Amino acid sequence: MISTGSRHRKYTILPLTRVEGHGKVTIHMNGEGEVEQARLHIVEFRGFERFILGRPYWEIPVIVQRLCGICPVSHHLAAAKAMDRIVGGEHLTPTAEKIRRLMHYGQIFQSHALHFFHLSSPDFLFGTDGTAASAFEAPAEQRNILAVAARYPQLAVQGVMMRRYGQEIIRATAGKKIHGTGAVPGGVNKNLSLSERDVLLKEAERMLEWARGALRLARDFTMDHLAELIPFGSFDSNHLSLVRESDGALDLYDGVLRAVDKDGRKLVDDVNCQRYLEVVREEVRPWSYMKFPFLRELGPEQGWYRVGPLARMNTCSFIGTPEADAAHREFMELNQGRPNNVTMCYHWARMIELLHSIEAIRDLLDDPDLQGDDLVVSGPRREEAVGLLEAPRGTLFHHYRVNRNDEVTMCNLIVSTTSNNEPMNRAVTKVAKDHFTGRKEIPEGLLNHIEVAIRAYDPCLSCATHAVGGMPLAVELRDASGALVDRRVRDAV
Amino acid sequence: MAAKPRIATVSLAGCFGCHMSLLDLDERILKLAELVEFDRSPINDYKDFRARCAVGVVEGGCCTEENVHVLERFRKQCDLLVSIGECAISGGIPAMRNNIPLRECLEEAYLKSPGVYNPGGVIPNDPEIPLLLHRLYPCHEVVKIDLFIPGCPPPADAIWDALVSLLAGRPAAPAYDRLKYD
Ligand code: SF4
C-alpha cells in the first residue's frame, strides 16, 4: 500500500486470530532491502463512546466492562469510580473500598498469571531448555499451554490454578467471574462473608508460594539471557502511571498521575486524576482504529510514553508490601536505580506485581472491615467525573458527563493498551529493523520475534487471541503493484 | 484408535469474555483436550482449518466484512456451529450501535472526544484496516447456526455440558440453573 518504487516490498503479518477482529502488522521494505517502517494496525472499532450516550449512569459500570472480557473488573471499577463522584460518594466506606481493592487485586492476579503461564511461559520454558536456538524462539508446536502441560505438568497446573484463584476472588466480590456487578455508584452491593473468606484464605499461602516461584522464573530467565534481551525491541521512553498520593508508592487502585522520562526525571507529578486532560492528549492516525496518546507538554513527537508493569516499576517510589518491595529494589538495581527501558523486562515486572497482589490479598483477607455492612454512600450530585486506575496492562482512564436526567452525555475512554500503541509500534519497528533488514526472503524463524515483542506488552486488544498459545502468523510478500510474490505461514504442526 | 472429533473456536465482535469462560473450565480444559482435537482456535497456533471439524464455537457477532468472511468459512468447515454468548446470539452490547449511524460513532471517538489531537480531522480509513459494516449482525443472520448457548458469558459449566453432550451425540439441553440470560 505504501510501497512506491517497483522494488519496494511489503510484508503483511497477520496474527490470524486478530484478523478476525483485532490487529495486524505490516512491514514495508525499500528497494535496498531495508525496513522503512513497520506498523501495528488495530482493526477493531466498537463505538462505546457514542452508543452509551443517553444511558442512565448506573448502568455504565456493567455495560462498559463488555469492552474486554479479559480484564472486565478494570473497566467495571474505573467506571464505578467515576460514578462515585457523580453521586457525590467518592469517599467510600472502608468496607466498600476494601472489597473493591480485593476485587481488583484478584483481577491483577488472574490476568498476570494468565499472561505469564498460559501465554509467555512456552517462550521461556522451551526457549531455554535447549529446544530452541534463541531464548525466545520456541518451536511453534510447543507454543501453547497444552505443550507446557505435557512437559512441565506441575508448572502448567500452577498457572491454571493461580488464574482460577484470582477468578474465585472476583466471583466472591463481584458475584460472577466475568462481567460481575459488585461495584455500584458510591460503593459495593455485597461484602465478603466469613465462609467466602475462609475458602480464599485457605489457599492464600499456597498462591503466595507459587507467586514467589513465578517471580524467580521470570527473574532468572531475564538475568540468564540479559545480553540477548537488552537490545530486543528496546528503546528509551517516558513512563506513566498512578502512584499513591501521600508517598509515591505503587497503588493499582487509586492515586495521582506521575510520569518520568527515560532517566527518571519527573515530567508529571502529583496530578489529580480529575485533571488528566491537562496531562494527556490522543492523536488520531488513519491506519489504526486505536489512538496514540502523548504527554501534552511534550507534544506528539516526544511525549509518547509506556504504561503497565514496566512503567509502574519505573514511576513508583517503592512497593508497600515487603516481598514485592524487595523484588522491586532488585529490579531497579539493573539500571542503578534509573528507569529500566528494556522491553523484555515487562515480564519480570509483571511477576513482581503478581507477588504484590497476592501479598495484598492475603493482608486484606484478614481485615474484618470486609465483613462490614456499611456499603454505599452518596452526597452532593455532580455532572462530570473522571475515574482512573491501574489495570493489569496500565493506566485506564474513564471520563463521563451526566445530565440532570441521569443520562450520560459524554464518554471518553483511554484504555491501557492505547497508551502502549506507539511503544508497540516502536518495538515492532525496532525488531523488524534489527532482524529483517537485508533479507531477500521472508525469514520464517524471525516472525516469532515480532510476536514476542508485541506480547511483552500483553496487549488487551486481543490478549486472549493468544491467551493459550502463540499468534499464528501469515506473511505476504507483495511488490509495489500489490502482486503476491511470496507467502509464508508459520503455523503449529 | 478412532480419530478424536475436532473442535474450532473463534472470536468475532466479542470481548473474549466467552473464551475466558471456556478457560474457566480450569483443569477441565486439559480433560477437554483429551476428548477432542483442537483445530483452529486461540487455544493453539493453527492459522486455518487443518481438517473438517465436528463443532465450531463462535463468540461475537459480525461488525466488519472480515467477520463475515470468517464466519462463512466456519460454516463451511464445521458440521455443527454453536453461537456462544449474547454477542453471537443477538449482537450483545456492541449491537447498541445499531440504531445510531456509524458515522456518528466514528465522529464521537475520533473528532469529538475531549483530549483528541486531530488537526487533520482524520477518521481512520486506511485500506489496511477492514471496512466496518453499517450495523452489527448476529451470527444466525449471516449463516445457519445449530445451537445457542446464552449468557454474557455463559458459565463454564454450561459450555462444558453443551460440548460434552454434542461430542457424545446427545442433544445439548443445559440444565435450568446453568442457563443465564445476563
Ligand atoms: S457475550 Fe458477553 S462475554 Fe461473550 S463476548 Fe459478548 S460481551 Fe463478551
Side-chain angles (χ1 to χ4, degrees), chain A residues 66 178-179, chain B residues 14-18 59-60 84-88 93-94 151-154:
Chain A
R66 264 82 181 179
I178 298 162
H179 302 326
Chain B
C15 77
F16 272 103
C18 290
E59 167 195 302
I84 175 180
E86 231 26 70
C87 294
I93 295 281
C152 179

Side-chain angles (χ1 to χ4, degrees), chain A residues 215 244 248-250 313 316-333 351-353 355-357 359:
Chain A
L215 171 60
R244 192 155 71 195
L250 179 79
M313 293 300 118
C316 78
S317 308
F318 66 101
I319 298 181
T321 53
E323 292 188 43
D325 191 49
H328 175 245
R329 282 197 303 273
E330 185 186 1
F331 181 87
M332 294 309 285
E333 272 166 26
M351 289 304 97
I352 295 174
E353 291 187 347
L355 185 59
H356 168 63
S357 55
E359 282 185 289

Side-chain angles (χ1 to χ4, degrees), chain A residues 16 20 176 282 289 291, chain B residues 40 47 50 109-110 117 182:
Chain A
L16 202 84
E20 296 156 7
K176 209 165 149 239
E282 290 181 282
Y289 284 123
K291 292 179 258 191
Chain B
R40 165 181 185 160
K47 77 165 264 315
R50 316 283 293 181
Y110 299 109
Y117 170 80
D182 56 350

Side-chain angles (χ1 to χ4, degrees), chain A residues 1 10 16-17 19-22 24 26 41-43 45-51 53 55 63 66-70 114 118 140 143-144 146 149 160-161 163-164 167 176-179 277 281-289 291 294 300 399 410 412 462 464-472 474 487 489-493, chain B residues 9-27 29-30 33 38 40-48 50 63-64 66-67 70 74 87 93-97 100-102 104-106 108-111 113-119 122-132 136 152-153 182:
Chain A
M1 241 51 50
K10 184 185 78 176
L16 202 84
T17 34
V19 176
E20 296 156 7
H22 306 280
K24 70 176 174 184
T26 54
H41 308 266
I42 304 307
V43 299
F45 173 79
R46 294 276 183 268
F48 272 75
E49 292 94 335
R50 173 63 187 83
F51 69 63
L53 301 187
R55 306 301 304 184
I63 294 182
R66 264 82 181 179
L67 274 167
C68 175
I70 296 130
L114 172 80
H118 297 62
R143 304 173 53 77
N144 62 68
L146 300 178
V160 168
M161 299 310 274
R163 173 171 183 277
R164 177 190 170 152
Q167 292 288 84
K176 209 165 149 239
K177 286 184 172 179
I178 298 162
H179 302 326
L277 278 177
R281 281 283 178 271
E282 290 181 282
E283 186 185 359
V284 180
R285 298 184 196 165
W287 46 268
S288 183
Y289 284 123
K291 292 179 258 191
F294 59 90
H399 178 193
M410 190 281 297
N412 188 32
S462 67
T465 61
H466 40 112
V468 223
M471 293 184 278
R487 183 164 200 277
V489 173
R490 202 226 47 208
D491 174 275
V493 191
Chain B
T9 77
V10 66
S11 171
L12 304 175
C15 77
F16 272 103
C18 290
H19 272 81
M20 289 296 109
S21 200
L22 184 67
L23 275 192
D24 281 336
L25 287 173
D26 300 321
E27 49 305 4
I29 195 88
L30 303 176
F38 274 97
R40 165 181 185 160
S41 163
I43 205 163
N44 59 29
D45 266 1
Y46 299 151
K47 77 165 264 315
D48 201 358
R50 316 283 293 181
C63 87
T64 67
E66 253 158 355
N67 293 154
V70 172
F74 260 71
C87 294
I93 295 281
M96 283 171 69
R97 85 162 161 87
I100 299 162
L102 175 59
E104 270 183 38
C105 293
L106 292 163
E108 192 70 33
Y110 299 109
L111 302 181
S113 89
V116 144
Y117 170 80
N118 192 357
V122 170
I123 286 180
N125 62 352
D126 196 89
E128 295 291 355
I129 52 181
L131 273 184
L132 297 166
L136 199 131
C152 179
D182 56 350

Side-chain angles (χ1 to χ4, degrees), chain A residues 233-378:
Chain A
S234 289
F235 41 79
D236 289 343
S237 77
N238 307 313
H239 302 270
L240 176 132
S241 83
L242 295 178
V243 294
R244 192 155 71 195
E245 187 168 8
S246 50
D247 55 9
L250 179 79
D251 192 336
L252 300 170
Y253 176 74
D254 199 21
V256 288
L257 282 164
R258 177 184 283 179
V260 299
D261 72 4
K262 66 177 179 22
D263 298 314
R265 251 184 335 121
K266 291 195 179 103
L267 300 167
V268 170
D269 199 20
D270 219 16
V271 173
N272 186 297
C273 293
Q274 303 306 314
R275 291 164 43 211
Y276 82 104
L277 278 177
E278 293 168 25
V279 175
V280 291
R281 281 283 178 271
E282 290 181 282
E283 186 185 359
V284 180
R285 298 184 196 165
W287 46 268
S288 183
Y289 284 123
M290 193 153 79
K291 292 179 258 191
F292 293 80
F294 59 90
L295 298 173
R296 192 175 168 183
E297 206 181 296
L298 298 181
E301 296 296 325
Q302 304 296 325
W304 56 276
Y305 57 88
R306 288 193 261 197
V307 298
L310 180 73
R312 291 191 284 248
M313 293 300 118
N314 290 331
T315 50
C316 78
S317 308
F318 66 101
I319 298 181
T321 53
E323 292 188 43
D325 191 49
H328 175 245
R329 282 197 303 273
E330 185 186 1
F331 181 87
M332 294 309 285
E333 272 166 26
L334 204 61
N335 198 20
Q336 289 85 43
R338 287 197 307 278
N340 180 329
N341 284 293
V342 179
T343 295
M344 290 302 287
C345 280
Y346 260 99
H347 295 292
W348 182 1
R350 193 169 286 120
M351 289 304 97
I352 295 174
E353 291 187 347
L354 182 84
L355 185 59
H356 168 63
S357 55
I358 186 66
E359 282 185 289
I361 289 167
R362 178 202 52 194
D363 295 349
L364 267 174
L365 286 175
D366 279 331
D367 194 323
D369 279 346
L370 291 180
Q371 282 78 46
D373 46 20
D374 198 0
L375 302 182
V376 183
V377 287
S378 64

